[in-house]
Amino acid sequence: MTSGGRQQTIINSLCNIKLRHIILSVLGSFILYSSRVAQHTNKINKNNMMKMGSSFTSVASTAFNMPKIGLGTLGLDPTEAKTTINEALSLGYRLFDCAPVYFNEMNIGDAFHEATTGVPRGDVFITSKLAGTFHRAEHVEPALRKTLNDLRLGYLDLFLVHWPVAFKYVDFDPSIRGWDNEDIDDSEGGKNIDPTVSLRDTWHAMESLVDKGLVKHIGVANFPVMLLHDMLSYSRIPPAVNQVEIHPYNQQPKLLEYCKSRNITVQAYSPLGTPGFKESDEPRILSDPVLNEMARSKGITVAQLCLQWSLQRGCSVIAKSSNIQHLEENLLVNHKNEFVSGAVQLSSDEMDKIAALDRGYRFFRPEEWWPENPVPVFH
């Protein structure tokens, strides 16, 4: 081999060595980067599996995936909140319906924060509502932030306008959790109704909450068709939900049909007819002979029958109970909060029989709460 040939061989060998070093260096950097990504991912996954309270300030996403059966908290004794929330989470409840005028959000927030079930925040759907005293646009966000503070949350999955009637503003200290009194729910027989507040202004303030990531979705409660129809004419973000009183004695088929045609989910509250709140002379749905006979023939309770009826009509439902047996029975209708084709189904004939029970009877009649300034919301 000539001197020039040996020199070229040495050069080629050195080039190959240098190339190998470069390749190894690049591979080493890639492996180190992949390892760090994997460690970071594992850390995120571990954090997400921490108990609920530890991950309750997660950033809101925009997907609408509301469970079909939820636990209502109206009338939930603050002293029972921790036990009831833990039992509900353990059984599989993933939707919780709250409101400041239930005067237990602080206790519910503590229950969520101290929950021992290991359910991550992202798996739970939490709703609260805007009280009538905070309808004026500048009061909407402070009211929400008060609720978030009480519930110890970073965001809500759904925020509803509780009633389509505004009341005079009641001041509060945003730094204090809970409420010292029930002034925000005191209408003084209707004297505190404020007719100068526009629902349009309230709704635009609600929309800004979505823009800021404070809530995932917004909706309404107790809205009749014409108020919904008007709202759709000016809303930039249409209501995702209309939560209304629906049970076999108050079926609201026209409202249900309208909402379905506008892609508004109807959520039924008091699906069993408020057995714990009704007056003694009011009808008792759970004692209805037609419903009892039908439930016996299917081997289920009347409560389960009513919930299944609502689900088959396309509604989601909010049922309240602190009794663990009732909590479990209610959820068994919709196993794991997903519609199961193999579950007990009502035939078209059975649905027709229940339809015939409709009386248009409401257990919640706001015009009777406000006799000094009656606002017949549903008439």
Side-chain angles (χ1 to χ4, degrees):
M1 181 181 292
T2 65
S3 176
R6 285 196 302 273
Q7 195 174 30
Q8 186 63 46
T9 300
I10 292 170
I11 290 172
N12 290 341
S13 178
L14 289 172
C15 287
N16 289 337
I17 292 170
K18 186 174 182 180
L19 181 61
R20 282 198 298 272
H21 278 300
I22 292 172
I23 293 171
L24 289 173
S25 177
V26 171
L27 284 172
S29 297
F30 177 74
I31 291 169
L32 179 61
Y33 172 76
S34 300
S35 175
R36 287 175 176 172
V37 168
Q39 290 173 2
H40 181 64
T41 302
N42 289 337
K43 184 177 180 181
I44 290 174
N45 290 338
K46 185 178 179 181
N47 287 339
N48 284 341
M49 290 308 294
M50 293 169 68
K51 68 178 184 177
M52 286 184 66
S54 303
S55 55
F56 255 26
T57 55
S58 306
V59 177
S61 66
T62 56
F64 187 62
N65 186 24
M66 184 171 68
K68 293 181 175 65
I69 293 182
L71 178 67
T73 61
L74 171 63
L76 176 62
D77 190 318
T79 62
E80 297 179 352
K82 184 175 181 179
T83 301
T84 301
I85 295 298
N86 256 308
E87 287 176 346
L89 286 168
S90 297
L91 288 170
Y93 282 87
R94 294 297 179 263
L95 167 59
F96 296 86
D97 182 74
C98 311
V101 296
Y102 301 164
F103 300 105
N104 55 16
E105 285 193 327
M106 180 181 71
N107 310 88
I108 292 169
D110 291 343
F112 282 141
H113 192 74
E114 298 167 12
T116 58
T117 55
V119 180
R121 169 64 180 99
D123 289 354
V124 181
F125 194 103
I126 301 175
T127 300
S128 189
K129 306 175 187 74
L130 179 72
T133 45
F134 308 126
H135 275 209
R136 201 170 290 278
E138 62 267 28
H139 300 148
V140 172
E141 184 174 331
L144 169 67
R145 290 187 179 276
K146 163 67 172 165
T147 277
L148 292 175
N149 188 34
D150 284 351
L151 289 172
R152 301 178 74 164
L153 300 177
Y155 70 92
L156 287 179
D157 297 275
L158 179 64
F159 194 42
L160 305 176
V161 177
H162 203 158
W163 286 90
V165 179
F167 291 88
K168 295 175 183 177
Y169 175 68
V170 174
D171 198 17
F172 64 91
D173 185 343
S175 67
I176 298 176
R177 296 181 67 231
W179 299 93
D180 293 332
N181 53 59
E182 298 188 1
D183 288 354
I184 64 168
D185 196 36
D186 183 7
S187 68
E188 281 200 43
K191 292 179 181 178
N192 286 336
I193 289 176
D194 187 350
T196 69
V197 181
S198 164
L199 273 175
R200 180 191 295 249
D201 293 341
T202 302
W203 190 252
H204 290 329
M206 295 279 287
E207 290 173 325
S208 72
L209 303 177
V210 179
D211 298 335
K212 294 178 181 180
L214 295 171
V215 300
K216 285 185 179 183
H217 307 283
I218 51 178
V220 297
N222 303 298
F223 270 52
V225 166
M226 289 315 298
L227 281 180
L228 280 175
H229 194 66
D230 183 54
M231 176 172 280
L232 291 176
S233 73
Y234 58 73
S235 59
R236 176 170 56 85
I237 302 175
V241 170
N242 186 20
Q243 187 186 102
V244 293
E245 179 184 345
I246 287 185
H247 45 72
Y249 288 177
N250 187 48
Q251 301 185 17
Q252 305 203 64
K254 292 181 179 179
L255 174 68
L256 190 57
E257 181 181 5
Y258 178 88
C259 289
K260 284 181 178 179
S261 70
R262 269 70 175 181
N263 200 32
I264 300 171
T265 297
V266 174
Q267 189 172 59
Y269 72 76
S270 298
L272 312 180
T274 65
F277 296 95
K278 74 177 190 65
E279 301 294 334
S280 59
D281 60 343
E282 292 187 289
R284 179 175 166 81
I285 291 175
L286 296 181
S287 298
D288 185 274
V290 173
L291 297 177
N292 272 270
E293 181 183 351
M294 194 178 298
R296 280 194 298 271
S297 72
K298 304 187 86 64
I300 59 177
T301 67
V302 177
Q304 289 174 320
L305 179 75
C306 291
L307 295 179
Q308 182 64 31
W309 169 77
S310 278
L311 292 171
Q312 285 189 214
R313 296 178 83 215
C315 300
S316 69
V317 292
I318 297 296
K320 186 267 172 184
S321 180
S322 57
N323 179 294
I324 190 167
Q325 181 181 345
H326 294 162
L327 285 171
E328 188 169 15
E329 285 178 355
N330 293 346
L331 198 59
L332 283 174
V333 174
N334 201 235
H335 183 57
K336 294 183 179 179
N337 247 320
E338 298 173 358
F339 195 84
V340 182
S341 59
V344 173
Q345 299 287 298
L346 303 180
S347 68
S348 58
D349 286 344
E350 289 169 330
M351 294 292 285
D352 288 342
K353 286 182 181 179
I354 297 176
L357 299 177
D358 192 7
R359 311 179 185 184
Y361 189 90
R362 296 179 184 275
F363 291 92
F364 292 85
R365 301 179 292 275
E367 63 275 13
E368 296 180 9
W369 306 338
W370 312 321
E372 299 295 327
N373 190 7
V375 179
V377 175
F378 306 119
H379 301 282

